Amino acid sequence: AQSVAQPEDQVNVAEGNPLTVKCTYSVSGNPYLFWYVQYPNRGLQFLLKYITGDNLVKGSYGFEAEFNKSQTSFHLKKPSALVSDSALYFCAVRDSMDSSYKLIFGSGTRLLVRP
Amino acid sequence: IAGITQAPTSQILAAGRRMTLRCTQDMRHNAMYWYRQDLGLGLRLIHYSNTAGTTGKGEVPDGYSVSRANTDDFPLTLASAVPSQTSVYFCASSDSPGQPNEKLFFGSGTQLSVL
């Protein structure tokens, strides 16, 4: 069965500094990978996805993520963090071998950007 | 633009009581989902529906039931609430169920406390 791990409960970064939120996955087939963001008292919003092709994926709000097959990782990155980026970030994976195409979410990482 | 509407926003419920969480979407999406969000566990799929008239069980379906009488509505019912069902519940929808690049749209959630 597919699974996804976000090893950090919280990431702290100063505004203007680069940020990385880590995600690793496990699937039987090919991974379809997603990042979602949740702002306070809101539902999750789609940020970006990797299905196939270029390993570096660009998404909303200046975020990008790099797919690394050998390390089974899909870390979320941004070159220069903003205070408004502070939110809860979820990595999710879908397994190409799972006929139900179930989307499995990680436990989430809280990003705190200090001014 | 409404998207997905969930009601109520929050609810305190006595154990043993029956409760229905409402979810309505106006995007004419075929697929709808119910997730619960718990600290440290991320989002877990409760039930889903790929199209009106059909439903399926997710990862944690016990104690919950759903129906999908039409495209727009997907209510979640707790027949006899228990304290372990205290959680934040999110409804989601998509227009491309089963596709690798399926993107979910989420409601703002219902905070449920069972005492």
Side-chain angles (χ1 to χ4, degrees):
Chain A
Q2 64 267 43
S3 64
V4 59
Q6 294 181 242
E8 302 153 317
D9 290 336
Q10 182 163 314
V11 170
N12 299 303
V13 64
E15 187 173 32
N17 283 358
L19 69 88
T20 298
V21 182
K22 296 180 181 178
C23 171
T24 58
Y25 65 89
S26 175
V27 295
S28 300
N30 294 319
Y32 304 128
L33 295 154
F34 305 80
W35 276 100
Y36 283 80
V37 59
Q38 184 182 28
Y39 298 103
N41 300 313
R42 302 289 298 277
L44 279 70
Q45 299 176 32
F46 171 82
L47 263 185
L48 52 79
K49 67 185 178 190
Y50 171 83
I51 304 301
T52 187
D54 195 346
N55 289 344
L56 185 63
V57 178
K58 294 186 183 298
S60 307
Y61 312 121
F63 283 93
E64 58 188 29
E66 186 167 12
F67 170 63
N68 187 316
K69 187 173 183 178
S70 63
Q71 297 185 5
T72 62
S73 67
F74 189 57
H75 302 331
L76 181 69
K77 300 180 180 183
K78 188 173 182 180
S80 179
L82 300 172
V83 172
S84 57
D85 292 331
S86 298
L88 191 55
Y89 291 81
F90 290 94
C91 184
V93 67
R94 181 171 283 130
D95 188 343
S96 67
M97 295 292 287
D98 182 357
S99 59
S100 73
Y101 283 108
K102 192 178 352 180
L103 187 63
I104 300 298
F105 286 87
S107 55
T109 298
R110 186 165 301 280
L111 174 66
L112 182 61
V113 181
R114 59 185 184 276
Chain B
I1 300 176
I4 295 181
T5 302
Q6 290 185 238
T9 303
S10 64
Q11 181 75 43
I12 299 174
L13 189 65
R17 298 297 297 268
R18 180 184 179 90
M19 175 74 190
T20 295
L21 307 185
R22 300 185 298 277
C23 176
T24 300
Q25 53 111 352
D26 62 2
M27 297 176 283
R28 307 300 294 172
H29 285 170
N30 285 323
M32 297 187 75
Y33 306 85
W34 274 106
Y35 287 88
R36 58 177 289 172
Q37 182 181 23
D38 301 290
L39 190 63
L41 297 176
L43 275 75
R44 292 180 292 169
L45 182 64
I46 304 171
H47 284 287
Y48 65 94
S49 169
N50 285 335
T51 189
T54 68
T55 62
K57 294 182 179 180
E59 303 169 77
V60 289
D62 294 342
Y64 305 95
S65 63
V66 291
S67 61
R68 188 86 184 278
N70 57 61
T71 297
D72 298 342
D73 301 301
F74 191 44
L76 176 73
T77 297
L78 290 67
S80 179
V82 295
S84 62
Q85 292 177 311
T86 294
S87 186
V88 181
Y89 291 85
F90 286 99
C91 181
S93 73
S94 86
D95 62 356
S96 53
Q99 300 302 312
N101 61 348
E102 179 184 11
K103 185 169 70 174
L104 301 185
F105 296 83
F106 285 83
S108 296
T110 294
Q111 170 74 59
L112 181 66
S113 297
V114 182
L115 305 179

